[in-house]
Structure formats: C-alpha cells, structure tokens
Amino acid sequence: MARSADPALAERRRREIVEAAMTCFRRRGFHQASMQEICAAAGMSAGALYRYFPSKADIIVAIAEEEHRDAEELIDAIANGADITQSLMTLVRDVVGRCVEDHPLTADVLAEAMRDTELAKRFREHVIHMQRRLAIAIAAGQRRGSVDLGINPETAARLVTVMIDGLILRAAVIRDDDPEALTAALRTFVDRLLKPGSGQVPRHIARMLTDSES
Amino acid sequence: MARSADPALAERRRREIVEAAMTCFRRRGFHQASMQEICAAAGMSAGALYRYFPSKADIIVAIAEEEHRDAEELIDAIANGADITQSLMTLVRDVVGRCVEDHPLTADVLAEAMRDTELAKRFREHVIHMQRRLAIAIAAGQRRGSVDLGINPETAARLVTVMIDGLILRAAVIRDDDPEALTAALRTFVDRLLKPGSGQVPRHIARMLTDSES
DNA sequence: ACCTGAACACCGTTCAAGT
DNA sequence: ACCTGAACACCGTTCAAGT
C-alpha cells in the first residue's frame, strides 16, 4: 500500500480505484474485468493502482466492506422504528432492491469469500452484527407488545437474516420472479413469525380472544 | 464438442473431465483452477479436453446441471413422505449438509450465473421446479391434515425454497455458525409456517380448541 | 513522492502435426 | 478419429526509468 506522504491523496486515489472497479465489476464481473480496464476507468496506470491496492483481491475486500457498511446502516435505521413488522418489510425491500442493482457485486463477494480468508472473516462478523442488531430490535418489539412473546428474539433474528440472504440470492439470479407474490410471501413469513397471536386461530376463537382480552 | 464416432467414449471422456474439474474447483475455485490443472487431473491434453468441452464455462454448466439434478432428486424423495414437517427438516439437513462439502462449487455456479445467460436460465428452471414440487407436497399435507389450512401452498413453498437458499449461503460462508441453534430456528420456522394451529394461541384457548374440535 | 508502461510468468484457447 | 503440445493473445503483477 506504500507509506504515503499525503494521506489525503492516498484516500482520494483509493476511492477513485474502488469506484472504477465497482463500475467494471458490475459490468463484467470480478474475474472477467481486467486490471487494465480498471486502470483505464480510474484514469491511471497499472503501477499507480498497485501503489494503493496490493492486489485485485484487496479491491474486492474494500468493496465488501462498503456493502456491509451500507447494510448495517439500513438495519440500524430500522432498529429504531416503532413497528418492527413494517420496518422489516421496508428493510427487505431496501436490501433486495439495492441488490438488484448490485447483485453481481454481491455474488462476486460471496464467491471470493469462499477462498479468501480475510473476506470470509469480514463476512462472518457482518452477519453476526446484523443478527445481534435485529435480535435487540425484536426483543424491544416484544416489550412494546408488537412482537409475539412465544418466539425467542435470537431465533427470530437468525431466521430473518437467513431469509434476507435467500431473498438477495433469489433477486440476483431470478430477476423476474413474481415480485408481488414474493412480497405477499414475505408478509406471511413476518406475520407468522412475529405477529402476536397470528392467523392460525379459527375465526370464532379469534373473536373470543379479542372479546375477552382487548 | 466435435461429432463423435464413438458416443460411449465421448460420454466417458465428459464424465472424466467433469469429475476432474469438480476436484480442482472444489480445491481452488472456478477461476483460480487452471485448464492445465484440470487436464492433468483428467489425464489428458488441452486439445483432448477442448474436443469435449468448448470452453471452461461449459464445464461449470455441466456441474450446475448435476447439482440441480441431485437437489431435485432430494425434493422428489421428500415429496412422497407422509410427515411434511419432518421431511422438510430432513431435506434441509441433506441439502445444507451436502453443501458443506460442495459450498465452493455452489458459490461458483451462482457467481457465474450472474453473467452466463445459459447458466441463469437453468438456475431459474431449477428453482421453479423445486417450488412446484414443494407446493404440491404441501397441498397434499393440507389434505392429510398435517399442514395448517391457513397458508397458501405456493406461498409456503416459496418461503421454504428461499429459506433453503439462505441456509446454503450461510453454511457456505459461515462454517461454524452454531448448528444446533440453526436447527432449532429451522424447527421454529417450519412449525410456525406449516403446523396446524401453532404455538401463538394462548394455552387456555388452545385447550378449548382441542376440547371442542378433536 | 508519485507515476509510467514495457516486461514477466501464466492464463484460456487454437491448431498444425502426429498416431 | 482421437490426441499432443507448442503457439497466440491476454491476464495480474513488478520494476527500472521518468518527473
């Protein structure tokens, strides 16, 4: 990475490179895009680029860091929302929506994480962070009465994050999967998992419940 | 692929190549493994290999076909099981378990599908097939009374397949994620989604339900 | 200090030459 | 018909030479 006399310049160059690489990777994928392409997009020579990133793999680590930072900002935002059910729907729409744009980057990061120890470690920490934040938000929802008390917050958080991963993957590969059916399915998932006393109760019993308890 | 005078030889060679490639890809990943390595593992020259596969990309298409065929056999097997809840737990254990071995292949196939139209098409068809089979099995479960009538079979099938994708992804990247917690979470997911009249009903009401209806 | 771009070892793929 | 392996264009990375 070369000790720099001008940290501001170094930071600026790194951003230029990451930005250029993201454009190239989105267009052609991590392994299909060449360093020459990235150099051209960033407006610098190979030698200059290698002054700021010791290898192509390090560029994708920087991209993964950015993706994870973005996702964590999203989840921190919803963690403060009052209605956890609605917040989750919004979160998933945002995460999956953003992914539709960046699906190739996400898939590339994943595939690289399978080999790259550094990347795998960051991925792991990211998932753990997401899960913890969500568990806290769900527990808060339980105290507020907006989440069913019958479910363990850690369990719910685990299921939601796994579901989000699955949704991202699906949005990435199956671009035209019926989006309304998916949203409806997600609603069902969130309701059955989190809604206090959910729809499985027969109507006449549900009436008794509301009559006697609210 | 070269019209062959001996179709049996051609089939044998293709298998040798796919087998060799799977070994190499598992070890080093799709893009890290070189054609020279695959040739050496298959015991043939570059020219010979290219007689049977027109490109590296076509080898991964063959591998994806095999993965999909395996997964579809698994789902067809459970579709005939009596207890859909238990079958699903078994299915997930099998799919995720198999994946722990083949996670790098799965991730490589996914990342390639992001660029490779041919691969993406096969992926799409595979997901649709899985979903249809599962929906049929779930509908059968409803007729047998082992699945809650309050859920749409297509919706449930969609959620289960998305969840499976998420689980594969997680098993692939986060190898040491607490497996027991994951199994327990999955149990919760399946129960809340499919079990007739699940745990959200308060105990005194549940008692009334069983007293008056069964 | 920062940058250039030719050079290096290696990649996927081809094809003239062998049997 | 089937196979070999040197050759081709191109890859990620390095480094002597410039400013």
Side-chain angles (χ1 to χ4, degrees), chain B residues 111-125:
Chain B
E112 285 309 298
M114 221 59 55
R115 310 281 162 199
D116 187 324
T117 321
E118 176 64 17
L119 211 49
K121 206 187 95 203
R122 282 162 198 264
F123 223 104
R124 232 171 345 251
E125 284 164 4

Side-chain angles (χ1 to χ4, degrees), chain A residues 66-139:
Chain A
E66 208 164 297
E67 290 213 318
H68 293 168
R69 210 165 29 237
D70 290 355
E72 285 170 15
E73 272 170 29
L74 278 181
I75 210 148
D76 287 350
I78 78 125
N80 303 321
D83 182 356
I84 231 273
T85 306
Q86 188 49 49
S87 296
L88 272 182
M89 294 298 289
T90 310
L91 171 75
V92 170
R93 184 167 43 70
D94 288 354
V95 169
V96 173
R98 189 180 56 90
C99 179
V100 167
E101 216 174 85
D102 282 349
H103 44 218
L105 289 181
T106 310
D108 284 343
V109 168
L110 172 70
E112 286 308 299
M114 222 59 56
R115 309 282 163 200
D116 188 323
T117 321
E118 175 64 17
L119 211 48
K121 207 187 93 202
R122 283 162 199 264
F123 223 105
R124 230 170 348 250
E125 284 164 3
H126 170 62
V127 169
I128 288 166
H129 179 266
M130 295 289 275
Q131 235 161 238
R132 187 157 39 217
R133 283 307 199 139
L134 215 55
I136 290 170
I138 289 169

Side-chain angles (χ1 to χ4, degrees), chain A residues 33-35 46-47 50 55-56:
Chain A
S34 77
M35 289 304 255
Y50 274 87
S55 79
K56 204 184 188 184

Side-chain angles (χ1 to χ4, degrees), chain B residues 94-107:
Chain B
D94 288 354
V95 169
V96 173
R98 188 180 56 91
C99 179
V100 167
E101 217 173 84
D102 282 349
H103 45 217
L105 289 180
T106 310

Side-chain angles (χ1 to χ4, degrees), chain B residues 63-82:
Chain B
I63 291 175
E65 268 190 312
E66 208 163 297
E67 290 214 318
H68 293 169
R69 208 164 31 237
D70 289 354
E72 285 168 17
E73 272 170 29
L74 277 181
I75 210 147
D76 287 349
I78 80 126
N80 303 322

